[in-house]
Amino acid sequence: PDDLDSLTYYSFLSDSNVVEPHRLTTLKVFGDFDEGTTKFAWDIRRELKVSTTSQDKPAEVESTRLWGREVERVFTSAGYHYEIKVTIYTTSQLEDTNSMALVETAQIKQKATCVYVRRELRALNHIDRAELLSAMWIPYSTSMKEGVSKYGSEYLDVLSINSMHNYWAADYECDHLHDGNGFATQHLALTIRYEAVIQAINPKIVMPYWEYTIESANIITNHESNFDKFYELSVVFSSDWFGPFDTQQEPWSEIQLAKSTVRNNVFGLSRAPWNFAHETNVLRYRERCGFNTAKMLMDMEEPATCSAFADTLDVTAFQDFQVELMHAPHGSIHILLGGIAGGCDHTYKEQLSEHFTDNAIARIAQLSAIAVKGLWRAGYVDYTKCTTDSEDKCDQAC
C-alpha cells in the first residue's frame, strides 16, 4: 500500500502488517542468502477476526503453503488477522547418495491484518479509478432483477438506492437524515450500504473519500477566495472523473431519473416532494434563484474550509456537533454542486427590487429555498397538487 501513516491511529494494527482484500499481494524475504542452496516455505494461516476479544478461541483453519523467496497471494477475508510464517531451509546432499535434504535454519513470523483502506480520490491510480467508475455505473444501467441474479442479494439498482435517501429525508413527519441527530449515523449507514452494492460488483473496491478542503484551500490561497473557481479547479469535474460541471461526459450524461412510488415529487420522479423539477436528467446550476451561488456562499454562509471543519471539531456537545457538521462542512458542498433554478430565477428580482437591495433579495431567496420543506411539513403548502395543468410546470398555492 501507499502512504498509510493514518493506520497508526488504529490500535489493532499497531503490531501488524496490512494487506488489502482481493488484491494481488507480493510477499518477499529480504536478506543475504545463497540462492542456489536456500529454500523458502511460506505458511499463511487465517486466524481470528479483528473484532474478536477472546484470546482463547482457537484459530480458524484456513492455511496455504507457498514456496519461493518471493510469492504472491490474494487475501479474501477482510477483517481477519493472518499469521505469516517463513521457514528457511538449506539444501545439502546426503552422504553417499545422490539425494538432497532440507535442513531448517531459521523461521520468520509476522502478523498481517486484512482490511480495506479508504483513500482520498486523488490517491487512486488510473486502474483503481477506472474500476470504481465502471462499478458505479452498473446500478444505473442494470435492473434489480438482472443485478441480483448476476451480483447477488446485496445488489441494489440506483432507484432503490435513491429511494432509501428519499424515504427517510422526505417523510412528512420529520427529516430522519438531516436537521437532527440522525444526520451523521444515517449518512454513514447509506454510504456503507452503497459500498456493499459496489463490492458485490467488484469486491476489491472501497469507496474513496473526497477531501474538498483541498479545493477550498487552493481557492482561498491562490484565487482570492473566488469560489466560482471551484467548478474549474475541482478534481471531480475533470475528465478523469465526471467531466465539466456544465457539460457532463458519458456515461453520466445518459442518466435518466426513474419514476418512483417512494416519496416522489408531483411529476412522479424520485425527488423530494418540494422539488418541482420535471426533467429526468441530472441537473446542475451555478446559481440559486438567479444569484451567483459562490458569492452567496461567501457572503451569507460559509464554504467547506479547513477552518469550518476545525470550528466544528471544537464543539464539545455531540448534539451540537451533529448540527454544525450538517452546515459548512457538508451542506455548502451540496449548494455548490446543485444550485436552485426555476421560476425564482426572475420572480424575486422582479417583485422585490423596488423595496430591497440585491443583497437583501438574495438573502430572501436563500431563506425561502430552505423554508420550502418546513412549510410543507407544517401543512401550509400541499406539494402533491399543482394549480396549473402544464405537464412541465407546477405552481403552488397556500
Side-chain angles (χ1 to χ4, degrees):
D2 48 4
D3 185 4
L4 298 178
D5 289 345
S6 63
L7 296 182
T8 59
Y9 295 107
Y10 298 87
S11 59
F12 63 88
L13 297 174
S14 60
D15 61 344
S16 178
N17 298 288
V18 169
V19 294
E20 297 183 59
H22 302 283
R23 294 180 178 273
L24 187 64
T25 301
T26 301
L27 306 170
K28 184 176 181 179
V29 177
F30 292 89
D32 186 16
F33 297 97
D34 185 334
E35 296 290 342
T37 61
T38 308
K39 304 294 181 184
F40 304 88
W42 297 75
D43 292 294
I44 302 170
R45 187 180 66 178
R46 190 182 75 178
E47 296 188 318
L48 300 178
K49 266 192 170 182
V50 169
S51 58
T52 303
T53 56
S54 172
Q55 298 302 310
D56 299 323
K57 182 179 177 181
E60 297 186 37
V61 177
E62 183 185 291
S63 186
T64 302
R65 168 158 278 209
L66 302 168
W67 288 88
R69 183 168 187 169
E70 181 176 307
V71 297
E72 292 180 337
R73 168 76 145 77
V74 176
F75 295 85
T76 58
S77 299
Y80 277 86
H81 293 302
Y82 286 81
E83 180 191 76
I84 301 176
K85 181 176 70 174
V86 183
T87 305
I88 303 173
Y89 297 95
T90 299
T91 59
S92 63
Q93 186 171 350
L94 294 177
E95 190 175 349
D96 300 327
T97 71
N98 291 323
S99 301
M100 302 297 292
L102 292 178
V103 179
E104 181 179 327
T105 58
Q107 269 193 6
I108 304 170
K109 285 186 179 181
Q110 292 279 317
K111 187 167 79 171
T113 305
C114 185
V115 291
Y116 284 103
V117 178
R118 199 177 302 285
R119 293 176 170 84
E120 207 278 330
L121 53 81
R122 275 163 274 237
L124 270 60
N125 62 37
H126 69 283
I127 296 174
D128 289 339
R129 182 173 61 247
E131 289 186 342
L132 171 66
L133 293 175
S134 177
M136 288 175 64
W137 178 246
I138 297 296
Y140 287 98
S141 57
T142 306
S143 68
M144 271 293 291
K145 183 177 180 181
E146 182 185 351
V148 170
S149 175
K150 187 172 183 180
Y151 302 112
S153 60
E154 291 290 340
Y155 178 81
L156 294 174
D157 64 7
V158 71
L159 178 60
S160 301
I161 296 166
N162 286 347
S163 294
M164 291 172 68
H165 186 281
N166 237 19
Y167 181 82
W168 294 111
D171 184 7
Y172 187 74
E173 296 299 324
C174 72
D175 186 337
H176 300 270
L177 266 69
H178 313 89
D179 305 329
N181 289 333
F183 172 73
T185 51
Q186 300 291 10
H187 277 73
L188 288 171
L190 282 172
T191 301
I192 291 169
R193 184 63 186 92
Y194 177 67
E195 186 172 66
V197 174
I198 298 302
Q199 289 178 348
I201 297 166
N202 185 339
K204 78 177 187 179
I205 291 176
V206 60
M207 293 305 298
Y209 65 93
W210 177 22
E211 183 55 84
Y212 39 77
T213 57
I214 294 173
E215 281 89 340
S216 297
N218 183 11
I219 289 168
I220 292 170
T221 303
N222 302 312
H223 300 278
E224 300 179 337
S225 297
N226 178 10
F227 271 79
D228 264 333
K229 292 292 184 180
F230 178 85
Y231 306 108
E232 301 170 25
L233 300 174
S234 178
V235 64
V236 299
F237 298 126
S238 68
S239 58
D240 286 340
W241 286 93
F242 302 105
F245 182 88
D246 298 309
T247 56
Q248 301 164 45
Q249 66 187 22
E250 294 184 349
W252 315 106
S253 59
E254 301 172 13
I255 292 174
Q256 291 293 305
L257 199 62
K259 295 277 186 177
S260 173
T261 58
V262 180
R263 311 280 198 240
N264 49 33
N265 71 358
V266 72
F267 298 105
L269 297 173
S270 182
R271 288 192 169 110
W274 52 86
N275 185 331
F276 305 138
H278 70 278
E279 298 90 343
T280 57
N281 58 299
V282 174
L283 303 175
R284 295 174 180 162
Y285 303 104
R286 291 179 184 242
E287 295 186 338
R288 300 170 74 188
C289 294
F291 294 92
N292 180 276
T293 297
K295 187 175 187 305
M296 289 179 73
L297 192 62
M298 289 300 296
D299 291 347
M300 301 178 190
E301 298 173 62
E302 184 181 11
T305 61
C306 294
S307 60
F309 273 87
D311 291 343
T312 300
L313 292 171
D314 280 341
V315 174
T316 55
F318 183 67
Q319 186 168 353
D320 295 337
F321 172 76
Q322 291 253 58
V323 173
E324 291 301 316
L325 192 63
M326 285 186 293
H327 296 150
H330 172 85
S332 61
I333 288 298
H334 280 293
I335 293 168
L336 281 169
L337 292 178
I340 301 172
C344 70
D345 286 351
H346 50 83
T347 51
Y348 283 109
K349 292 178 180 178
E350 290 175 357
Q351 297 180 21
L352 298 176
S353 59
E354 292 184 12
H355 309 285
F356 298 95
T357 64
D358 279 353
N359 283 343
I361 297 171
R363 181 63 171 168
I364 293 169
Q366 175 212 26
L367 293 174
S368 64
I370 297 170
V372 288
K373 65 179 182 179
L375 291 171
W376 173 65
R377 286 197 169 101
Y380 292 115
V381 182
D382 182 2
Y383 294 142
T384 64
K385 299 176 182 178
C386 292
T387 57
T388 57
D389 296 326
S390 172
E391 293 183 358
D392 61 1
K393 182 180 180 182
C394 188
D395 291 335
Q396 297 294 310
C398 298

